[in-house]
C-alpha cells in the first residue's frame, strides 16, 4: 500500500537543510518473524528522540541530508480514523487537547511510569513515546500494533525499527556536535561563581539586572567567557541528560538598543528545547509559554508559575513539542510585546487547543515579560488579564476596541514585514501581511518566477517561513536561482564559495513542494495545510494557477474551475493566517499594449478576491526608464497604487530599483590655481559687460511718443 502511494507521487515537502530519518524494519527480536510485508519492503520516516534515531548498538545517531523529504499520504489521516482504529484494536485512549493518549507499547507494564505515555497527534497521526523517545508516523504505529497483537505480546522492544548505518561524514559530524556541546558546557561558568562586579556587568549588558542570581542558578544559566555569551542548557530524555546548548550574545546599536544573536548546538533544525521544562512538576496544570528564555525566567521569578520558552521564539511551534504541553489545562501565551508575537500567539493557540489557551495582548502597558519586570509591572495581574483565545461568532466593538487601538498604535508593525531589496514596494504596499492573497501576473518570458523568487527570498531572509510550489520548473533549478540571488553572484564562476553560501542558505526557513507539472487542487491544499501545521508557514507561493486546472473535470467550464480554485486559496489564506502569492498567466494581448487588471486570465474573480494585484510590465515607459517595471493595481490595505521601474542584473539574477537621475561626469582641472583665479576674474568681468549691453539694448528698444504736425493749424502736437 505504502509503495503504491509513493509510486503515485504522494504529497511531499522538501526542506532546505532539514534532517532526514529513513528507517527500515529489521528482524532483531524473536517475535518479529511474522512482520507484515509492507513493513519489510517499505522505508518510512521514524525518529528516535528529537532529531536522533536508535541504532543496533544502542547509541544515538543523527542523519542529515540537505535535500530531505517528508512523505505525506495522498489521503490525510483524520482523528476520527485514528479513534476508530484504536477502538477496533481494543486500545484505551484519552482524548487530549492536541493529541490522543494511549499506553506505550514500547515499555513493559511493570516499568511504566505513566498509564498513557504515548501521544498521537490528532492532525498528522505522528506519535511520540515520552518514556523511550520513540517517534514515527501513524503507519509505523499501525504496523507495530499489528505485530504486537498478532504475536500476543504486551509490548515491543524499542529496537524493533533500526536505522541505516551512518556514513563516515555523518558520524564525524554527530560526534563533533556532541563534543562541542560538552566543551561549551564544561568550560562555561555559572553566573553565581563570578565576582559580584563582573556578574553585574554581564546582567547590565544583557539588560537583565532585575533577574536574581537565584533565578539564573535555578535555570542553569552559565557564561561562556571566550565569546561573552550566555549559555542555556537543553536537558531532556528519561535520564535528563544534556542534549544541546543555546548561546546568546548581545551588542548595542548606535541608538543604544540591545540586539541579541543566537546560536544553537545542534543546529536549529534539530534543536527542540522547551527551556524550563525540567522545572515543571508532573501535577502542574497551568503554564506560561514565552518566546524567549529571559521572559520565562522573569515569569517564574515574579509569579512562581511554571513557564517554558519556545526553542525558535515566535517563528515556529514544532508539533513534536505538543505532547510535553498536554498535561496543562490552562496555557497562557505571552510571546512578546509586538504585533508579530500577537499573530504568533493566535496561530499557536490553534495547535495547542484554542479552548484552553489565553493570550496576553501586547501594548504599552503589556510589554514582554522581562521588560515588564524591569519596569516594575505586576506580572501576575498581566497574566490574569489575558484574554481567551476562543471567541464567539458574533462580537461587539467592546471586544474589538483593544485590537483597533493596537493597530492604531503599532501602524508600522501592522503594515507587515518590510522588503529590504524593494523599498519602492514598501512605499506602495507598506509591507507583507499574513492572511492576504496576492495575484501576480506578467507577460510570458518576462521573468515572473525570477522576480517572485527574489521577492519571497527577501522575506525568507527576515524569518518569514516560506513554502514554494513550483509546477513549471523543478526544485533544483529554482533552488539554483534563489541561491544565486542569495549570494548575489554567479557561483558557476566561484565554485570555491559554494559551500560557504550553501551553508548559509540551508539555515533559511525555506521549504519546497515536490510537485512538478499538473496537480489536483485538493492534493496541493492538503500539502499546504500540513506544512502550516508542521512548520508554521507564513508565506506560500504557487507558480502557477493554470497548471492546477489540468486535472480538474474537463466537462466543467474552465472559468468556473478557476473561480473555485481562487476561492479555495482565499479561504485558506484567511483561515490559516498565511499569505498566499498566486501567479496567473495573462490572457493574450497586443504586443504594444500594457497589461491591466482585466488582462488576468479568466473572470473577474481573481482580482475581486485578491488583496493585492501586481503586474510585471515589460515595455519601455515614457515616464520611467528601464525595460521592466512593477505595477501595483490593487492594494486593499490602504488603497495606494503605483508603478516603479526595475533593472535586471543578469550576473546575480536580481531586480533592483534604478537610481533616479544620473550623475554627470566632471572634467579634472589640471591648471594652476593662479591661472584659474585669473580666468575666473576675466569671466566675471566679461559677464558684467554682456549684462550692461543687454540693458542698453532694452532701453534703446523702448517706444517714445512721436511729434507730428496737425494739418489744421500747422503747430506741433503730441499724438498718441
Amino acid at each position: 500500500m505504502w509503495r503504491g502511494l509513493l509510486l503515485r507521487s504522494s504529497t511531499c515537502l522538501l526542506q532546505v537543510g532539514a534532517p532526514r530519518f529513513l528507517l527500515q524494519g529489521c528482524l532483531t527480536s524473536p517475535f518479529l518473524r511474522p512482520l507484515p510485508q509492507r513493513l519489510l519492503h517499505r522505508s518510512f520516516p521514524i525518529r528516535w528522540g528529537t532529531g536522533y534515531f536508535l541504532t543496533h548498538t544502542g547509541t544515538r545517531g543523527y542523519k542529515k541530508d540537505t535535500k530531505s523529504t517528508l512523505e505525506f499520504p495522498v489521503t490525510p489521516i483524520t482523528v476520527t480514523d485514528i479513534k476508530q482504529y484504536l477502538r477496533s484494536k481494543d486500545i484505551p485512549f484519552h482524548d487530549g487537547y492536541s493529541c490522543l493518549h494511549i499506553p506505550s507499547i514500547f515499555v513493559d507494564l511493570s516499568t511504566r511510569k505513566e498509564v498513557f505515555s504515548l501521544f498521537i497527534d490528532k492532525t498528522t497521526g505522528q506519535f511520540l513515546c515520552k518514556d523511550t523517545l520513540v517517534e514515527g508516523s501513524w503507519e509505523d504505529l499501525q504496523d507495530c500494533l499489528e505485530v504486537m497483537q498478532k504475536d500476543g505480546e504486551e509490548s515491543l522492544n524499542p529496537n524493533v525499527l533500526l536505522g541505516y548505518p551512518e556514513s563516515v561524514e555523518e558520524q564525524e559530524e554527530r560526534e563533533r556536535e556532541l563534543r562541542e556541546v560538552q566543551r561549551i558546557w564544561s568550560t562555561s561558568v555559572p553566573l553565581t561563581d563570578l565576582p559580584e562586579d563582573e556578574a553585574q556587568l554581564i546582567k547590565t549588558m544583557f539588560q537583565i539586572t532585575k533577574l536574581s542570581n537565584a533565578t539564573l542558578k535555578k535555570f542553569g544559566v552559565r557564561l561562556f567567557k571566550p565569546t561573552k555569551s550566555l549559555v542555556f542548557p537543553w536537558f531532556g530524555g528519561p535520564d535528563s541528560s544534556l542534549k544541546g546548548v543555546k548561546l546568546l550574545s548581545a551588542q548595542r546599536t548606535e541608538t543604544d538598543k540591545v540586539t541579541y544573536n543566537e546560536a544553537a548546538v545542534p543546529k536549529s533544525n534539530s534543536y527542540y528545547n522547551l527551556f524550563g521544562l525540567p522545572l515543571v512538576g508532573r501535577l502542574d496544570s497551568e503554564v506560561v509559554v514565552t518566546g524567549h528564555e529571559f521572559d520565562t525566567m522573569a515569569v517564574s521569578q515574579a509569579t512562581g508559575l511554571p513557564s517554558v520558552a519556545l526553542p525558535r521564539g515566535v517563528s515556529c511551534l514544532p508539533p513534536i513539542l505538543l505532547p510535553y504541553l498536554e498535561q496543562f489545562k490552562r496555557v497562557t501565551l505571552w510571546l512578546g510585546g509586538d504585533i508579530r508575537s500577537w499573530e504568533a500567539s493566535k496561530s499557536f493557540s490553534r495547535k495547542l487547543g484554542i479552548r484552553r489557551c489565553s493570550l496576553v495582548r501586547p501594548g504599552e502597558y503589556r510589554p514582554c515579560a522581562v521588560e515588564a519586570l524591569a519596569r516594575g509591572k505586576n506580572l501576575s495581574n498581566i497574566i490574569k488579564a489575558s484574554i481567551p483565545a476562543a471567541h464567539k461568532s458574533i462580537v461587539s466593538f467592546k471586544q474589538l476596541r483593544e485590537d483597533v487601538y493596537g493597530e492604531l498604535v503599532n501602524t508600522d508593525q501592522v503594515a507587515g514585514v518590510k522588503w529590504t531589496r524593494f523599498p519602492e514596494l514598501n512605499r506602495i504596499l507598506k509591507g507583507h501581511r499574513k492572511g492576504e492573497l496576492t495575484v501576480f501576473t506578467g507577460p510570458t518570458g518576462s521573468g515572473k518566477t525570477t522576480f517572485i523568487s527574489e521577492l519571497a527570498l527577501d522575506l525568507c531572509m527576515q524569518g518569514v517561513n516560506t513554502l514554494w510550489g513550483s509546477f513549471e520548473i523543478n526544485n533544483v533549478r529554482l533552488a539554483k536561482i534563489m541561491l544565486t540571488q542569495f549570494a548575489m553572484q554567479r557561483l558557476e564562476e566561484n565554485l570555491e564559495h559554494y559551500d560557504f553560501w550553501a551553508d548559509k542558505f540551508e539555515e533559511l526557513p525555506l521549504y519546497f513542494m515536490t510537485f512538478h507539472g499538473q496537480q489536483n487542487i485538493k492534493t496541493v491544499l492538503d500539502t499546504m495545510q500540513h506544512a502550516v501545521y508542521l512548520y508554521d508557514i507564513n508565506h506560500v507561493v504557487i507558480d502557477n494557477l493554470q497548471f492546477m486546472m489540468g486535472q480538474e473535470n474537463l466537462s466543467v467550464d474552465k472559468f468556473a474551475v478557476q473561480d473555485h480554485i481562487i476561492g479555495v486559496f482565499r479561504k485558506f489564506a484567511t483561515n490559516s493566517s498565511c499569505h498566499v502569492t498566486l501567479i496567473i498567466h495573462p490572457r493574450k494581448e497586443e504586443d504594444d499594449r500594457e497589461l491591466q487588471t482585466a488582462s488576468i486570465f479568466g473572470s473577474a474573480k481573481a482580482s475581486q478576491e485578491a488583496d493585492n494585484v501586481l503586474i510585471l510590465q515589460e515595455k519601455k515607459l515614457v515616464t520611467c526608464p528601464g525595460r521592466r517595471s512593477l505595477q501595483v493595481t490593487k492594494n486593499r490595505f490602504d488603497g495606494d497604487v503605483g508603478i516603479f521601474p526595475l533593472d535586471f542584473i543578469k550576473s546575480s539574477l536580481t531586480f533592483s530599483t534604478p537610481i533616479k537621475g544620473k550623475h554627470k561626469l566632471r572634467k579634472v582641472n589640471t591648471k594652476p590655481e593662479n591661472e584659474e583665479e585669473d580666468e575666473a576674474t576675466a569671466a566675471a568681468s566679461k559677464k558684467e559687460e554682456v549684462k550692461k549691453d543687454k540693458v542698453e539694448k532694452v532701453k534703446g528698444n523702448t517706444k517714445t511718443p512721436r511729434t507730428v504736425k496737425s494739418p489744421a493749424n500747422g503747430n506741433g502736437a503730441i499724438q498718441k
Side-chain angles (χ1 to χ4, degrees):
M1 179 188 75
W2 185 261
R3 290 174 60 86
L5 294 178
L6 292 180
L7 291 175
R8 291 197 300 270
S9 300
S10 62
T11 306
C12 299
L13 298 176
L14 186 147
Q15 178 193 3
V16 176
R20 184 182 187 180
F21 308 95
L22 294 177
L23 302 156
Q24 136 181 358
C26 296
L27 302 177
T28 59
S29 183
F31 53 81
L32 291 183
R33 289 186 179 87
L35 281 173
Q37 290 297 314
R38 67 170 180 169
L39 186 59
L40 288 172
H41 295 290
R42 70 173 174 85
S43 62
F44 44 87
I46 182 170
R47 285 174 288 174
W48 304 84
T50 309
Y52 295 87
F53 61 82
L54 199 61
T55 63
H56 66 282
T57 59
T59 60
R60 293 185 183 276
Y62 172 58
K63 187 171 180 64
K64 176 176 177 290
D65 190 343
T66 57
K67 293 180 182 178
S68 64
T69 57
L70 171 67
E71 279 76 13
F72 185 59
V74 173
T75 305
I77 192 70
T78 64
V79 65
T80 304
D81 298 332
I82 297 175
K83 290 179 179 179
Q84 290 178 351
Y85 180 84
L86 295 177
R87 291 191 184 101
S88 67
K89 298 295 182 182
D90 294 327
I91 298 176
F93 63 87
H94 171 68
D95 196 348
Y97 299 101
S98 56
C99 301
L100 296 176
H101 313 175
I102 68 171
S104 176
I105 62 175
F106 301 104
V107 181
D108 293 333
L109 291 175
S110 58
T111 59
R112 286 180 184 171
K113 297 180 181 179
E114 299 180 10
V115 178
F116 299 98
S117 60
L118 193 147
F119 298 83
I120 306 172
D121 193 297
K122 291 182 178 181
T123 303
T124 64
Q126 296 281 326
F127 74 89
L128 167 69
C129 174
K130 289 175 64 175
D131 292 336
T132 61
L133 298 184
V134 178
E135 56 176 302
S137 68
W138 170 243
E139 288 79 9
D140 302 332
L141 184 60
Q142 285 180 298
D143 292 335
C144 293
L145 290 173
E146 290 176 6
V147 170
M148 187 182 72
Q149 294 198 354
K150 187 173 183 180
D151 290 346
E153 299 288 342
E154 293 184 350
S155 62
L156 290 180
N157 190 324
N159 299 342
V160 60
L161 299 170
L162 305 182
Y164 293 129
E166 288 181 312
S167 65
V168 177
E169 294 79 6
E170 292 168 343
Q171 187 174 4
E172 290 178 352
E173 182 179 358
R174 178 177 60 85
E175 293 175 353
R176 181 188 59 79
E177 286 185 339
L178 293 176
R179 288 196 303 268
E180 184 69 9
V181 170
Q182 294 297 334
R183 183 187 69 83
I184 294 174
W185 185 247
S186 61
T187 56
S188 57
V189 182
L191 290 179
T192 53
D193 294 349
L194 296 174
E196 184 63 28
D197 56 344
E198 186 177 353
Q200 191 63 28
L201 181 63
I202 294 297
K203 287 185 178 181
T204 303
M205 182 173 65
F206 284 92
Q207 293 186 336
I208 53 172
T209 54
K210 295 296 183 179
L211 291 180
S212 65
N213 291 339
T215 300
L216 296 171
K217 182 178 180 180
K218 175 183 175 181
F219 283 86
V221 181
R222 294 188 177 186
L223 175 68
F224 188 59
K225 287 189 174 181
T227 59
K228 293 184 179 180
S229 302
L230 293 182
V231 181
F232 304 108
W234 173 18
F235 294 107
D239 54 352
S240 297
S241 59
L242 182 66
K243 302 171 74 68
V245 292
K246 178 190 282 188
L247 283 79
L248 184 71
S249 60
Q251 65 181 80
R252 289 187 178 273
T253 61
E254 296 178 354
T255 58
D256 203 31
K257 184 179 180 181
V258 176
T259 58
Y260 299 110
N261 297 317
E262 296 181 352
V265 183
K267 293 181 179 180
S268 59
N269 53 21
S270 301
Y271 185 81
Y272 297 104
N273 177 26
L274 276 175
F275 180 75
L277 186 64
L279 301 176
V280 177
R282 298 179 63 182
L283 299 180
D284 289 330
S285 60
E286 182 178 358
V287 69
V288 179
V289 178
T290 69
H292 199 277
E293 289 80 3
F294 289 159
D295 295 330
T296 287
M297 291 187 286
V299 169
S300 176
Q301 175 178 308
T303 66
L305 293 173
S307 181
V308 295
L310 298 178
R312 305 177 199 174
V314 300
S315 64
C316 181
L317 172 57
I320 191 63
L321 299 178
L322 296 180
Y324 298 99
L325 300 172
E326 277 290 294
Q327 75 177 74
F328 305 107
K329 296 180 180 179
R330 175 182 168 87
V331 177
T332 303
L333 292 167
W334 191 355
L335 300 184
D338 55 8
I339 293 297
R340 186 184 179 192
S341 63
W342 174 248
E343 294 293 334
S345 298
K346 293 189 287 186
S347 175
F348 294 168
S349 66
R350 290 192 287 267
K351 282 187 179 182
L352 293 166
I354 197 169
R355 296 191 179 278
R356 64 165 172 164
C357 292
S358 58
L359 315 177
V360 174
R361 191 195 308 273
E364 181 181 357
Y365 302 102
R366 291 178 295 274
C368 62
V370 69
E371 188 177 345
L373 182 66
R375 294 183 186 179
K377 303 287 185 183
N378 191 319
L379 273 67
S380 296
N381 290 342
I382 293 178
I383 293 174
K384 289 179 181 178
S386 59
I387 62 174
H391 290 282
K392 296 180 180 180
S393 299
I394 300 176
V395 296
S396 63
F397 179 73
K398 182 179 180 180
Q399 295 169 284
L400 300 175
R401 179 170 178 166
E402 288 297 322
D403 290 332
V404 174
Y405 179 75
E407 292 206 359
L408 294 175
V409 172
N410 304 284
T411 54
D412 192 56
Q413 296 180 11
V414 171
V417 181
K418 303 294 188 295
W419 288 275
T420 58
R421 301 191 180 192
F422 302 97
E424 287 295 321
L425 194 57
N426 293 329
R427 181 180 60 83
I428 301 174
L429 286 181
K430 306 302 183 292
H432 177 272
R433 295 166 290 276
K434 294 182 180 180
E436 291 189 353
L437 174 65
T438 295
V439 170
F440 178 67
T441 190
T444 302
S446 60
K448 293 189 295 297
T449 301
T450 305
F451 174 78
I452 284 294
S453 66
E454 185 182 10
L455 199 73
L457 177 65
D458 188 339
L459 299 169
C460 189
M461 292 169 62
Q462 301 180 64
V464 177
N465 300 342
T466 304
L467 175 65
W468 249 98
S470 177
F471 305 98
E472 283 198 79
I473 63 175
N474 58 45
N475 288 325
V476 174
R477 186 172 297 178
L478 177 61
K480 176 185 173 184
I481 293 173
M482 299 186 76
L483 181 60
T484 303
Q485 294 172 335
F486 180 71
M488 302 289 285
Q489 59 179 303
R490 287 279 189 181
L491 293 176
E492 300 97 313
E493 303 169 359
N494 302 278
L495 290 178
E496 66 276 7
H497 299 155
Y498 175 77
D499 288 332
F500 171 79
W501 289 109
D503 289 341
K504 289 185 173 293
F505 189 71
E506 191 176 316
E507 296 297 326
L508 297 178
L510 179 62
Y511 304 83
F512 299 92
M513 285 186 271
T514 57
F515 298 125
H516 185 63
Q518 297 175 347
Q519 294 295 330
N520 182 275
I521 178 60
K522 187 177 184 305
T523 306
V524 176
L525 186 65
D526 289 340
T527 305
M528 291 163 55
Q529 291 173 340
H530 181 73
V532 168
Y533 178 81
L534 205 61
Y535 303 115
D536 293 293
I537 296 297
N538 305 130
H539 186 201
V540 177
V541 183
I542 299 296
D543 183 14
N544 58 64
L545 175 66
Q546 278 78 357
F547 272 81
M548 270 176 284
M549 299 173 59
Q551 289 189 349
E552 301 296 336
N553 190 351
L554 298 179
S555 62
V556 182
D557 179 30
K558 61 181 179 180
F559 296 118
V561 174
Q562 177 174 324
D563 291 350
H564 167 71
I565 294 175
I566 293 173
V568 167
F569 282 126
R570 170 73 271 177
K571 184 178 180 181
F572 168 82
T574 303
N575 294 343
S576 302
S577 187
C578 178
H579 193 113
V580 177
T581 298
L582 182 60
I583 300 177
I584 304 178
H585 285 307
R587 67 186 184 187
K588 296 297 181 181
E589 297 279 7
E590 297 293 335
D591 293 339
D592 58 344
R593 291 184 59 185
E594 292 184 359
L595 297 180
Q596 300 175 354
T597 303
S599 303
I600 299 174
F601 180 82
S603 65
K605 179 81 170 179
S607 57
Q608 291 172 352
E609 294 283 3
D611 296 285
N612 313 295
V613 176
L614 276 62
I615 302 177
L616 183 63
Q617 302 285 3
E618 194 186 14
K619 285 185 179 181
K620 290 185 178 181
L621 303 177
V622 177
T623 57
C624 299
R627 186 170 182 266
R628 294 183 179 91
S629 59
L630 184 67
Q631 184 177 7
V632 179
T633 61
K634 183 178 181 180
N635 175 11
R636 186 169 283 165
F637 179 70
D638 67 352
D640 286 351
V641 294
I643 186 171
F644 59 92
L646 297 171
D647 280 345
F648 179 66
I649 305 174
K650 191 173 183 180
S651 59
S652 59
L653 302 180
T654 56
F655 292 83
S656 64
T657 305
I659 302 175
K660 294 182 178 179
K662 296 184 178 180
H663 299 285
K664 296 182 179 180
L665 297 177
R666 295 180 179 178
K667 294 183 179 180
V668 180
N669 288 325
T670 59
K671 299 179 180 179
E673 293 183 1
N674 55 358
E675 186 175 347
E676 290 181 1
E677 291 177 358
D678 294 341
E679 289 184 357
T681 305
S685 60
K686 186 176 181 180
K687 186 176 181 180
E688 188 67 24
E689 291 178 0
V690 172
K691 188 175 181 181
K692 289 181 179 179
D693 292 342
K694 288 184 177 180
V695 172
E696 293 176 358
K697 188 175 181 180
V698 170
K699 289 182 177 180
N701 292 335
T702 304
K703 292 184 179 181
T704 58
R706 291 184 297 121
T707 302
V708 297
K709 289 183 178 182
S710 174
N713 53 21
N715 298 326
I718 297 176
Q719 181 180 354
K720 294 183 180 180

